[in-house]
């Protein structure tokens, strides 16, 4: 038997999965609306509320948390995208996909692109909202932010899909968000600077991929970053490779 | 004719706590090209598990099988290309229209781009859903969904079609419609079909051969006619105060006499020819019923139990209702 890359990665198959993900996303209107409204609330209510009494360095608080809110938008969308895999299993649609000749790698890549595309759409809306609070873009910074959003949401989508491939019930995702997602988000520097944290939290911050994403985005958008952009970018690529490999492997073991 | 599906000691064991549950126990079956093969058995007999293994969704614990000449463990994607499958539970995406569901499938099965629309049109016509093809699947009835899934299973022109309880949960009209399609697929397209059912009538009418399966084991395999003949003849049920059993028990066409719930069950060769003679000998009777053996009798003969007409695992409509709650 001959093995070729075409058997493992089937572009038409990837397109098929992606196409279906996007149709269902736009048909489930509540899903779309809530993903847009939540960053608006954070940015304008939380940001300007807390911003009225807090200034970080020379920067208005609203601008400081902008990169954090952007990250929050695609972080939550990407991770929770995995819940739709659990739904696919519940409604038995997954069975009909797994019984098709598509390889598990193809199915994973199709799903991954679906999650990334949805995260990207939402992130672009948030980026445009940034104009309202005085974030200035050059074509380069806008483009750079988009590249980072794509890579970072691929990391988190891969994590979400890995979890979704294991869980049987959507409720499991609630636990996950309480015990993993919120800590990672709050310890990422998204909402406050990390300089004065107690030392034991430093370790979590250092191994937390969200920290690097927030830092590099803040660097690109308002010029404040603690880690060099090249290091953050390289780490993001490494995280992406690792999470994708784990994702593909977990898809290969996934039961219908 | 050659075997299109071949099982060699195909076995599946599930672990439930510390207990082993043998779902499928060393099946050695061969299904020939062009035949409609029925798995008949009660719930939990191992029918669906067997289909899942043959369609590569579940790995066997031991043994192996070839489907269309491909090994289910070593060449799963070749196997998947060769088969179309309609699952017991609805497995279409109800946020998509019927058309979109079929298109998704055509892309996944790599149907040639030039053929996609033609095949979809054809499939919709076959199951008579053309008028509803642009409606969301969530507006379909259970029967329409089943028809859509049959259409979907045929898009890539598979050599073998698996139908897992194709009429489960449908009303009589819905069942009849599905039967009509199965007939057409067999007669016009010479499709090889493996269907599981726990409706005897269905197996009797449609299957060329039946495998009676119980506790994961094949207890009898034959054509429905021959299976029924194995019961030992026609059954005459007699209600009488004092039947003269002694007068009939030595007749050579009487195969077996049983008493059950105050009734006398006499199994005879060719009841139509001998009923008069029997009645003359046995004396005054209150009531007589003559019937040919059914697959139910066959099932009782081989397993000692009745094949109950209850709902199979995971009723179709229960699932539809559960799925609809996703919308809220």
């Amino acid at each position: 038997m001959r093995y070729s890359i075409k058997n493992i990665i089937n572009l038409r198959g990837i397109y098929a999965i992606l196409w279906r993900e996007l149709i269902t996303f736009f048909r489930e209107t509540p899903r779309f609306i809530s993903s847009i409204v939540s960053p608006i609330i954070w940015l304008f209510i939380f940001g300007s509320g807390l911003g009225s009494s807090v200034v970080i360095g020379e920067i208005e608080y609203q601008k400081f948390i902008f990169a954090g809110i952007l990250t929050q938008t695609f972080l939550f969308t990407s991770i929770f995208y995995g819940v739709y895999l659990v739904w696919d299993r519940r409604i038995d649609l997954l069975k009909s996909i797994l019984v098709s000749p598509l390889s598990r790698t193809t199915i994973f890549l199709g799903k991954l692109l679906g999650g990334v595309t949805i995260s990207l759409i939402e992130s672009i809306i948030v980026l445009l909202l940034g104009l309202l609070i005085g974030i200035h873009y050059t074509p380069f910074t806008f483009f750079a932010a988009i590249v980072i959003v794509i890579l970072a949401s691929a990391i988190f989508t891969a994590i979400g899909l890995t979890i979704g491939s294991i869980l049987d019930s959507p409720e499991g995702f609630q636990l996950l968000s309480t015990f993993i997602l919120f800590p990672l988000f709050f310890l990422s520097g998204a909402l406050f600077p990390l300089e004065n944290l107690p030392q034991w939290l430093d370790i979590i911050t250092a191994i937390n991929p969200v920290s690097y994403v927030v830092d590099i985005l803040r660097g690109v958008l308002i010029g404040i970053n603690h880690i060099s952009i090249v290091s953050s970018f390289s780490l993001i690529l490494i995280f992406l490779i690792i999470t994708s490999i784990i994702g593909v492997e977990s898809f290969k073991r996934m039961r219908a | 004719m050659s075997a299109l599906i071949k099982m060699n000691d195909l076995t599946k064991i599930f672990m439930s706590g510390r207990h082993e549950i043998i779902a499928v126990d060393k099946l050695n079956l061969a299904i020939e090209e062009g035949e409609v093969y029925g798995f008949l058995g009660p719930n939990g007999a191992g029918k669906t598990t067997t289909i899942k293994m043959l369609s590569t969704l579940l790995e066997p614990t031991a043994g192996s099988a070839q489907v269309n000449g491909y090994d289910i463990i070593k060449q799963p994607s070749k196997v998947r290309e060769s088969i179309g499958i309609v699952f017991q539970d609805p497995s279409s995406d109800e946020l998509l229209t019927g058309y979109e569901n079929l298109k998704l499938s055509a892309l996944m099965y790599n149907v040639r781009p030039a053929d996609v629309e033609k095949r979809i049109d054809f499939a919709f016509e076959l199951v008579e859903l053309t008028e509803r093809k642009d409606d969301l699947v969530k507006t379909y009835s259970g029967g329409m969904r089943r028809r859509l899934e049959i259409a979907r299973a045929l898009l890539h022109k598979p050599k073998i079609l698996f139908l897992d309880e194709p009429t489960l949960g449908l009303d009589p009209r819905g069942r009849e419609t599905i039967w009509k399609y199965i007939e057409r697929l067999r007669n016009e397209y010479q499709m090889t079909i493996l269907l599981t059912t726990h409706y005897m009538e269905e197996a009797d009418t449609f299957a060329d051969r039946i495998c009676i399966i119980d506790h994961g084991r094949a207890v009898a395999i034959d054509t429905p006619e021959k299976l029924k003949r194995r019961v030992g003849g026609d059954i005459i049920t007699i209600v009488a105060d004092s039947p003269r059993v002694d007068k009939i028990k030595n007749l050579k066409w009487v195969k077996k006499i049983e008493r059950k719930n105050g009734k006398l069950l006499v199994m005879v060769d060719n009841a139509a020819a001998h009923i008069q003679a029997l009645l003359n000998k046995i004396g005054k009777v209150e009531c007589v019923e003559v019937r040919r053996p059914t697959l139910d009798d066959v099932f009782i003969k081989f397993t000692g139990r009745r094949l109950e007409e209850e709902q199979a695992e995971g009723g179709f409509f229960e699932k539809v209702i559960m799925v609809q709650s996703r919308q809220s």
Side-chain angles (χ1 to χ4, degrees), chain B residues 95-254:
Chain B
L95 284 175
L96 300 184
T97 64
Y99 170 83
E100 287 163 345
N101 267 290
L102 293 205
K103 176 136 186 204
L104 176 66
S105 196
L107 290 169
M108 291 198 302
Y109 281 84
N110 210 11
V111 173
R112 260 185 36 209
D115 292 344
V116 171
E117 297 301 324
K118 251 190 334 211
R119 297 257 187 102
I120 292 178
D121 286 346
F122 171 79
F124 272 120
E125 265 162 48
L126 184 86
V127 300
E128 301 166 294
L129 274 178
T130 307
E131 280 174 22
R132 296 293 305 271
K133 70 177 190 165
D134 291 320
D135 294 339
L136 291 183
V137 170
K138 65 177 164 192
T139 67
Y140 284 25
S141 68
M144 288 166 65
R145 266 187 99 159
R146 197 66 62 80
R147 276 146 66 193
L148 179 73
E149 294 183 18
I150 291 178
R152 182 177 68 177
L154 297 171
L155 274 182
H156 57 290
K157 297 197 171 169
K159 290 203 75 162
I160 304 159
L161 185 62
F162 291 155
L163 301 171
D164 194 4
E165 300 275 1
T167 57
L168 181 68
L170 300 186
D171 59 21
R173 258 188 65 203
R175 280 204 231 171
E176 244 167 64
T177 321
I178 302 287
W179 288 344
K180 190 173 79 188
Y181 304 145
I182 297 175
E183 290 268 75
R184 265 192 83 180
L185 291 172
R186 168 171 64 187
N187 298 339
E188 292 175 32
Y189 304 99
Q190 284 78 45
M191 197 146 214
T192 307
I193 298 174
L194 172 59
L195 68 86
T196 75
T197 182
H198 65 293
Y199 295 123
M200 287 163 302
E201 191 192 348
E202 197 164 288
D204 200 355
T205 321
F206 294 102
D208 297 314
R209 278 199 300 158
I210 289 174
C211 169
I212 293 184
I213 188 165
D214 190 36
H215 296 306
R217 254 176 253 146
V219 292
I221 306 162
D222 220 322
T223 64
E225 272 317 304
K226 284 188 185 157
L227 280 176
K228 283 184 280 188
R229 245 179 273 156
R230 284 207 230 166
V231 171
D234 300 341
I235 299 157
I236 301 174
T237 310
I238 295 167
V239 181
D241 280 340
S242 49
R244 305 290 305 269
V245 177
D246 54 310
K247 285 207 171 182
I248 60 164
K249 70 181 175 197
N250 292 324
L251 294 169
K252 79 169 191 292
W253 37 266
V254 171

Side-chain angles (χ1 to χ4, degrees), chain A residues 6 21 25 34 87 93 102 107 109 114 116 122 124 127 129 142 145 150 159 163 166 178 188 215:
Chain A
K6 251 181 104 179
E21 295 298 322
F25 172 69
S34 71
W87 271 117
L93 179 77
L102 298 183
I107 299 169
L109 290 176
V116 170
E122 295 174 5
I124 288 175
L127 281 170
L129 288 174
F142 194 79
I150 290 172
I159 295 173
I163 297 161
I166 301 164
T178 315
S188 68
D215 195 70

Side-chain angles (χ1 to χ4, degrees), chain B residues 298-311:
Chain B
V298 178
F299 194 80
I300 293 169
K301 176 183 162 70
F302 285 104
T303 67
R305 288 178 291 117
R306 284 193 88 83
L307 181 57
E308 285 158 328
E309 290 256 9
E310 61 187 35
Q311 288 297 298

